Amino acid sequence: MSTAPQVKAPMDEFNPFQAMAQRFDVAADALGLDEGVREVLRTPDKELTVAIPVTMDNGKLKVFTGYRVQHNFSRGPCKGGIRYAPDVHLDEVRALAAWMTWKCSVVDVPFGGGKGGVICDPRQLSKGELERITRRYTTGIMDILGSDRDVPAPDVNTNEQTMAWLMDTWSMHVRRTDTAIVTGKPLALGGSKGRTEATGRGVMIVTREALKKLGIRPENTRVVVQGSGNVGGIGAMLLAREGMKIVSISDIYGAIYNEKGLDIPDVLAYLKQNKKLEGYTKAQHIPSAAQLELDCDVLVPAATENQLTSKNAERIKAKLIVEGANGPTTVLADQILERRGVMVVPDILANAGGVTVSYFEWVQDRAGYFWTEEVVNSRLEQVMTTSFAAVEETARKHNTSLRIGAYILAVGRVANVYQMRGTYA
Ligand code: GLU
């Protein structure tokens, strides 16, 4: 009998790059990767830090810091979002870039991985300030961008509008409208039908597939969703449409709970109008930390990193965790959840619906020919179900978790391409 590959605990439980590297090492061991190739695949190819001077609305000049990390382009142009948050740091962007490499490989879209971030608090910025930050950041990183080099997309606190400014800034510099430079754009600017819902739709599809494996029927499923943005909000809506009962959802300030099930369209309409869940009367208000430990069948962490940790993993009641966010579970939490028999559909598979439809958007922009929503959704469905099955099979073959199965599949594909191409000297 083969022994399951073991992940060592990272030195710092909350460092996302260490968490990525630990899991990568297990996959590399299972694949028997040579030390040199391992080093190449673990190391980001390029890291750019830029100063972003911006004139604020009060007339004062302020300098923000932005990053773009390109992890690996063996399988194609780097691909990955840009996030705006006060706590963005380089090790986080590095981890997120590497996760994009593995994510694109898991779903077999022809991209490598990249990620960007700007240290800022969008809640404190006006629309004009956000536009100026976006345009100057784009100018700062444009030497390494390009529709065949590195293609950004939305991520935490960025959206269609941010992508429209990025596309316009790039296009003004290259003196032509180049829509394929970025994905997640508004429909009228070369966006794809179904892109906004794609990550949530992917979450819904893999949840359905995982429930089939666990023998749980959707109508008997109680779901807790952490987050109510593009991934959590839309994910919750689509899971509810599948017949599941969404008992709790949250925003950054707190969570709401109703054991009978929330009316998700009503909650989302309230959020759209009020910007926060505070004051919503048709549910009980509970603290964010308590939400994760609610009695439920499925937990969808769809907010940010390091939410399920060695501190709370013992108390998680869900039988299935579907990672809508990138990196929500630490390595130590993984070990506890695995021992307790909780199934975890890992981020690099669970939230890959977004980049899959980004790929479709890029293809449509380059062809200048746009697909119907039915075509987009059915192709996404096919990619997600095929990838879920491939990850499951790899995990079974190696007697390991879905997470390590996904890494083995992803790292194996990238290593294979890297070795075929050889090392340029
Ligand atoms: N930011 C999303 C992610 O983490 C989407 C990236 C993309 O579409 O390029 O997967």
Side-chain angles (χ1 to χ4, degrees):
M1 201 184 106
S2 65
T3 46
Q6 293 296 318
V7 185
K8 283 182 256 136
M11 280 155 350
D12 170 2
E13 184 184 358
F14 302 106
N15 182 304
F17 192 74
Q18 285 180 22
M20 187 290 298
Q22 294 275 342
R23 289 146 175 166
F24 167 83
D25 283 341
V26 183
D29 283 344
L31 291 161
L33 281 192
D34 150 295
E35 194 47 53
V37 173
R38 215 181 261 240
E39 212 177 318
V40 171
L41 298 189
R42 203 185 311 145
T43 313
D45 181 71
K46 207 176 262 121
E47 301 182 349
L48 189 57
T49 302
V50 292
I52 309 167
V54 170
T55 306
M56 307 301 281
D57 290 350
N58 64 8
K60 293 215 168 82
L61 197 55
K62 202 169 158 179
V63 181
F64 294 86
T65 302
Y67 305 106
R68 184 75 188 170
V69 174
Q70 297 178 340
H71 173 256
N72 187 288
F73 56 86
S74 298
R75 302 179 77 253
C78 294
K79 188 83 193 77
I82 293 168
R83 63 173 54 182
Y84 288 176
D87 54 355
V88 165
H89 58 96
L90 192 52
D91 253 2
E92 179 194 27
V93 182
R94 276 186 189 125
L96 290 160
W99 280 326
M100 286 310 302
T101 304
W102 313 136
K103 192 185 300 185
C104 292
S105 178
V106 165
V107 287
D108 208 7
V109 296
F111 289 136
K115 199 84 174 196
V118 176
I119 307 173
C120 66
D121 185 354
R123 281 172 301 162
Q124 314 289 335
L125 298 164
S126 69
K127 191 171 178 193
E129 289 167 340
L130 277 171
E131 175 171 357
R132 294 194 289 281
I133 290 175
T134 304
R135 289 188 183 277
R136 187 59 192 253
Y137 168 67
T138 305
T139 313
I141 63 169
M142 71 181 295
D143 284 347
I144 64 169
L145 297 184
S147 57
D148 46 10
R149 297 173 84 191
D150 185 354
V151 183
D155 198 73
V156 175
N157 293 329
T158 56
N159 54 29
E160 286 189 355
Q161 177 62 78
T162 328
M163 300 307 116
W165 290 327
L166 194 155
M167 192 276 272
D168 182 68
T169 306
W170 168 269
S171 296
M172 294 315 288
H173 279 265
V174 298
R175 300 280 190 267
R176 70 194 150 82
T177 295
D178 179 10
T179 53
I181 178 61
V182 65
T183 62
K185 300 178 296 294
L187 257 187
L189 302 184
S192 174
K193 297 218 167 85
R195 175 62 185 85
T196 313
E197 301 82 31
T199 315
R201 183 171 294 278
V203 165
M204 179 274 284
I205 296 167
V206 295
T207 305
R208 217 183 45 203
E209 295 302 299
L211 287 175
K212 276 190 220 157
K213 293 278 162 215
L214 292 171
I216 306 176
R217 298 165 68 89
E219 55 275 26
N220 298 333
T221 308
R222 290 158 310 152
V223 187
V224 168
V225 180
Q226 185 196 37
S228 47
N230 185 249
V231 186
I234 293 171
M237 199 173 69
L238 296 174
L239 290 168
R241 271 193 211 153
E242 290 295 296
M244 298 177 213
K245 195 191 279 180
I246 315 299
V247 293
S248 177
I249 194 164
S250 66
D251 62 13
I252 52 167
Y253 308 102
I256 53 171
Y257 173 67
N258 186 336
E259 61 170 351
K260 294 201 185 73
L262 297 161
D263 176 350
I264 295 298
D266 186 62
V267 173
L268 297 182
Y270 181 88
L271 251 179
K272 198 166 173 197
Q273 200 162 38
N274 298 280
K275 306 280 175 269
K276 33 174 125 166
L277 291 167
E278 195 183 274
Y280 186 73
T281 53
K282 295 169 212 159
Q284 193 186 328
H285 288 257
I286 58 170
S288 308
Q291 190 209 19
L292 300 173
E293 299 172 21
L294 283 171
D295 191 17
C296 65
D297 303 293
V298 182
L299 172 62
V300 182
T304 186
E305 293 105 70
N306 298 333
Q307 298 302 301
L308 307 176
T309 70
S310 58
K311 311 264 187 313
N312 61 7
E314 289 289 358
R315 296 191 299 274
I316 302 297
K317 311 227 176 26
K319 302 175 189 79
L320 170 66
I321 293 171
V322 181
E323 296 184 332
N326 292 308
T329 311
T330 69
V331 170
L332 289 176
D334 261 350
Q335 289 168 355
I336 297 168
L337 295 167
E338 203 174 336
R339 170 169 52 70
R340 295 184 52 226
V342 180
M343 183 191 265
V344 179
V345 184
D347 46 9
I348 56 173
L349 168 64
N351 68 42
V355 77
T356 301
V357 177
S358 274
Y359 166 57
F360 297 162
E361 180 174 334
W362 178 82
V363 168
Q364 292 170 80
D365 286 339
R366 286 163 62 110
Y369 178 74
F370 291 86
W371 311 349
T372 62
E373 191 158 352
E374 290 69 41
V375 169
V376 171
N377 288 349
S378 78
R379 288 182 177 164
L380 172 63
E381 170 95 27
Q382 198 187 352
V383 169
M384 294 308 293
T385 49
T386 309
S387 307
F388 183 90
V391 166
E392 226 258 323
E393 194 191 315
T394 312
R396 202 160 358 97
K397 208 164 93 192
H398 289 266
N399 184 27
T400 188
S401 62
L402 291 179
R403 180 172 331 270
I404 298 303
Y407 271 75
I408 294 173
L409 181 68
V411 173
R413 282 177 177 160
V414 181
N416 189 29
V417 167
Y418 181 78
Q419 279 159 326
M420 271 197 270
R421 288 178 59 160
T423 304
Y424 177 78

